[in-house]
Amino acid sequence: SSICSIIIGDSVETLRKVETDIDFFINDSDHNWLYELEEYNAIESNLSEGAIILGDNCHASDALRKFSEKKNRHFLFFKEEPLDHFYYGAGIGVSFRKD
């Protein structure tokens, strides 16, 4: 469709082949820190001016924060704090351009 595409395969390899602008990128793949960072680096040249990146593993990885700092982007972190739950909660990171 003209709104989005779903591509199945190795994400870093696939992202390096993207030829269109990326407005919104959700990272929810391999939670290895270096792999996550490689994904962000792979999309960097395709990010549109107002592109937003979401990372679902920011409670355990600072890859999106580090990428944001290096590329002079804002970074926000939202942490879950579940009550009376066996899991301590996850965290979502958001990266967006500074004006």
Side-chain angles (χ1 to χ4, degrees):
S1 108
S2 64
I3 297 174
C4 69
S5 298
I6 297 174
I7 304 168
I8 299 172
D10 178 85
S11 61
V12 172
E13 183 180 312
T14 301
L15 292 169
R16 287 183 179 142
K17 296 176 186 174
V18 171
E19 296 180 0
T20 60
D21 285 347
I22 297 172
D23 298 319
F24 188 62
F25 180 76
I26 301 172
N27 181 301
D28 184 17
S29 63
D30 189 329
H31 286 169
N32 172 285
W33 185 90
L34 185 56
Y35 195 85
E36 183 181 345
L37 188 60
E38 285 183 43
E39 291 174 317
Y40 300 136
N41 288 327
I43 64 167
E44 178 189 3
S45 64
N46 294 88
L47 294 174
S48 67
E49 188 173 315
I52 296 172
I53 303 170
L54 292 181
D56 81 324
N57 193 43
C58 292
H59 61 290
S61 168
D62 66 352
L64 183 55
R65 182 180 60 82
K66 296 278 190 185
F67 175 82
S68 299
E69 289 171 356
K70 183 177 179 186
K71 303 304 177 183
N72 197 33
R73 297 172 60 87
H74 287 292
F75 175 78
L76 300 174
F77 177 71
F78 300 90
K79 183 176 181 345
E80 295 176 327
E81 295 183 359
L83 197 58
D84 300 324
H85 196 269
F86 68 92
Y87 190 66
Y88 62 89
I92 295 174
V94 181
S95 175
F96 57 98
R97 183 179 154 203
K98 291 182 178 179
D99 288 325

